[in-house]
Amino acid sequence: MIFLEALSVNQDSYLEIGGCDTVELAKKYGTPLYVMDEELIREKCRRYTDALKEYYPGEGIVAYAGKAFLTLAMARLIHEEGLYLDVVSGGEIHTALKAGFPPEKLYFHGNNKTGEELEAALGVGVGKIVVDSVNELEDLLARFKKRSAKGRVLLRIKPGIEAHTHDYILTGQEDSKFGFGLADGSALEAVELVLSHKECFELVGFHCHIGSQIFQLEPFQLAAEKMVGFMAEVRDRWGYTAVELDLGGGLGIRHRRGDTPPSIDSFVENSASAVQKAAEERDFPLPRLVLEPGRSIAGEAGITVYEVGVIKDVPGIRRYVSVDGGMMDNIRPALYGAEYEAVLANRADEEPREIVTIAGKACESGDILIRDVLLPPISRGDLLAVFSTGAYCYSMASNYNRNPRPAVVFVSEGKSRLVVRRETEEDLTALDEL
Ligand code: LLP
């Protein structure tokens, strides 16, 4: 049943994560509970950093994508591991700074950064802004002029490759709200605009992100080639040599047994060698290579522990097993059809013998966490642990039906610590006015 390195089963047949007994954790912190193996997160950070050193002869930067999972403790951990941080809102910037994250190591992304967010970012000295549109360039230009300051920017480019879990397409249309198109010429226009205002902009380089939860390496290779080709074109036209190439994130993780995403090592090697080869072919100096992983750092390190409540049989059809959370703490099955696996945390060694459907407690028929999962016979009060929920679950959680959001606990070497306390019902009305 257990196929992830974060997890093991102890003599009591209880599921363990980071050396901590999940049954004890549920008793101590309540359910639903997000539990994250801190060591595993750190290890993934190091795998990225080490792989970049090993496979890329130029300078390399790993910028963790905070949208996957960001709290004060996570921002601090990322800083301790020497990574940079990709942020996409004033809230993420605030979280990073509050945790003591150096503003100069932030990459500020987003297709519609508000005036307030930009002003705050410039005010605190955010390292680099990844610009997404002409409107944003004009807005920044005015702000830099007013401040008589120069800002470091990257331009987000649509390389015309779109990738999803097991599939990718080469798009001529480049139909995406993000970035400047290569095919429609808007990327070149943006470069021209930026280079014509050298007193305001320091154009550091270019960025692209082709998708998320990707299991193939080829689209990343194609994206790297296209981006280096574009950088060479910019050099040939304007004599400007960009120093940084940011290839975004996107590496997939294991949700279910049988999922076989590439390792971090082979992912990094693939991108690094594609950049190197393309640079050599075009006689382009090796750029500083930036990777922005989110899911592949936080995802497999996390589980969610629920308590089983109502069990309902629909004769001849299915058995619904309802848990005390659902789409409020994990919207991914409802939103993307994401598939998860689970075990009974308090009977993790028992032979799985029945196929059931795990339902959430939200007032919504679509609130199904797992359709058809094989588990031991279940009783009310059992604990269910869903795997690989470390990314895009807490960060996308809601208070639907006025359910308080769960606590988040970090575990490491047999010790646990609360990093986000459970919301209370009082918290739910804290912002309300009568
Ligand atoms: N960089 C940029 C510019 C991005 O837009 C993203 C993700 C990343 C890096 C990190 O990608 P990752 O390594 O995590 O794949 N909510 C969706 C995922 C949205 C990803 C958006 N951008 C989900 O739950 O699957």
Side-chain angles (χ1 to χ4, degrees):
M1 284 310 289
I2 311 293
F3 58 94
L4 296 166
E5 61 257 56
L7 306 171
S8 59
V9 179
N10 68 19
Q11 302 113 313
D12 295 328
S13 191
Y14 294 167
L15 182 71
E16 285 196 349
I17 175 166
C20 288
D21 175 340
T22 49
V23 176
E24 283 299 315
L25 291 173
K27 245 187 237 154
K28 184 165 177 189
Y29 300 102
T31 56
L33 184 67
Y34 296 110
V35 188
M36 301 195 61
D37 181 337
E38 184 175 346
E39 272 319 299
L40 189 58
I41 302 174
R42 291 184 187 276
E43 202 183 305
K44 302 271 183 190
C45 292
R46 288 171 202 161
R47 280 194 210 161
Y48 267 103
T49 313
D50 292 349
L52 257 182
K53 279 199 190 110
E54 186 171 345
Y55 299 115
Y56 195 63
E59 199 187 331
I61 285 180
V62 184
Y64 169 68
K67 70 206 80 183
F69 172 77
L70 195 68
T71 69
L72 293 179
M74 185 64 175
R76 177 140 322 155
L77 181 160
I78 291 299
H79 181 42
E80 283 166 2
E81 292 302 325
L83 270 57
Y84 286 56
L85 186 63
D86 145 3
V87 289
V88 290
S89 69
E92 287 190 352
I93 294 174
H94 173 77
T95 304
L97 297 184
K98 198 166 166 178
F101 204 93
E104 65 275 12
K105 290 179 82 174
L106 297 178
Y107 283 78
F108 187 20
H109 289 266
N111 68 303
N112 186 22
K113 305 172 186 81
T114 66
E116 246 172 39
E117 287 175 324
L118 283 174
E119 207 46 43
L122 298 182
V124 299
V126 157
K128 289 164 199 156
I129 299 185
V130 184
V131 182
D132 203 279
S133 64
V134 172
N135 285 163
E136 187 183 345
L137 276 178
E138 290 164 351
D139 188 336
L140 278 173
L141 190 59
R143 288 176 201 277
F144 288 141
K145 274 192 181 147
K146 207 164 105 203
R147 293 170 172 266
S148 318
K150 209 167 156 168
R152 295 201 287 175
V153 297
L154 283 88
L155 296 178
R156 178 162 180 169
I157 306 296
K158 288 186 267 197
I161 297 157
E162 261 184 63
H164 303 283
T165 303
H166 289 112
D167 196 15
Y168 71 92
I169 45 168
L170 302 170
T171 50
Q173 304 295 98
E174 302 178 321
D175 182 2
S176 158
K177 71 170 179 172
F178 294 109
F180 298 97
L182 285 186
D184 63 10
S186 61
L188 286 174
E189 280 164 29
V191 175
E192 191 162 29
L193 179 62
V194 170
L195 291 181
S196 62
H197 291 284
K198 289 212 174 83
E199 73 291 356
C200 289
F201 292 121
E202 181 189 336
L203 179 59
V204 183
F206 299 98
H207 168 276
C208 73
H209 171 80
I210 60 169
S212 199
Q213 182 64 356
I214 301 167
F215 278 38
Q216 291 164 299
L217 292 178
E218 197 190 0
F220 292 107
Q221 186 190 321
L222 292 173
E225 285 165 9
K226 276 223 178 175
M227 291 299 286
V228 175
F230 178 69
M231 289 163 94
E233 188 181 346
V234 167
R235 175 198 55 190
D236 298 345
R237 274 194 185 216
W238 289 288
Y240 165 75
T241 305
V243 296
E244 195 163 295
L245 171 57
D246 183 339
L247 291 177
L251 175 62
I253 61 163
R254 290 169 293 175
H255 279 120
R256 309 194 61 185
R257 179 197 333 279
D259 283 346
T260 51
S263 65
I264 289 175
D265 243 51
S266 45
F267 170 73
V268 173
E269 185 184 11
N270 173 70
S271 296
S273 59
V275 172
Q276 233 179 302
K277 189 162 162 275
E280 260 165 39
E281 279 167 11
R282 290 162 181 86
D283 200 19
F284 196 88
L286 269 193
R288 182 160 59 233
L289 178 57
V290 186
L291 298 177
E292 281 174 351
R295 192 192 315 268
S296 52
I297 284 186
E300 288 182 12
I303 59 170
T304 311
V305 182
Y306 303 94
E307 186 178 312
V308 171
V310 166
I311 300 172
K312 187 180 288 178
D313 283 320
V314 183
I317 299 182
R318 62 179 66 246
R319 169 169 287 185
Y320 283 100
V321 172
S322 293
V323 293
D324 54 356
M327 64 191 296
M328 310 73 95
D329 57 74
N330 186 357
I331 189 69
R332 301 194 68 262
L335 195 56
Y336 312 114
E339 295 182 350
Y340 285 86
E341 257 186 58
V343 292
L344 288 186
N346 56 323
R347 296 196 273 131
D349 259 348
E350 254 180 57
E351 181 82 22
R353 270 183 285 144
E354 61 178 29
I355 293 178
V356 298
T357 285
I358 307 296
K361 73 189 284 287
C363 292
E364 180 103 17
S365 308
D367 183 21
I368 300 295
L369 282 177
I370 313 180
R371 204 170 281 281
D372 297 337
V373 58
L374 186 64
L375 290 172
I378 304 182
S379 313
R380 299 190 71 175
D382 275 337
L383 294 175
L384 184 89
V386 177
F387 300 157
S388 294
T389 59
Y392 302 110
C393 288
Y394 172 74
S395 63
M396 296 177 82
S398 77
N399 291 122
Y400 184 46
N401 293 163
R402 292 238 141 177
N403 282 295
R405 278 174 297 180
V408 186
V409 166
F410 272 13
V411 289
S412 173
E413 294 173 349
K415 294 204 178 69
S416 65
R417 67 182 172 114
L418 192 65
V419 298
V420 181
R421 76 157 166 79
R422 182 176 304 283
E423 279 177 353
T424 61
E425 285 171 359
E426 218 22 67
D427 289 330
L428 293 173
T429 51
L431 305 177
D432 293 11
E433 310 266 355
L434 263 182

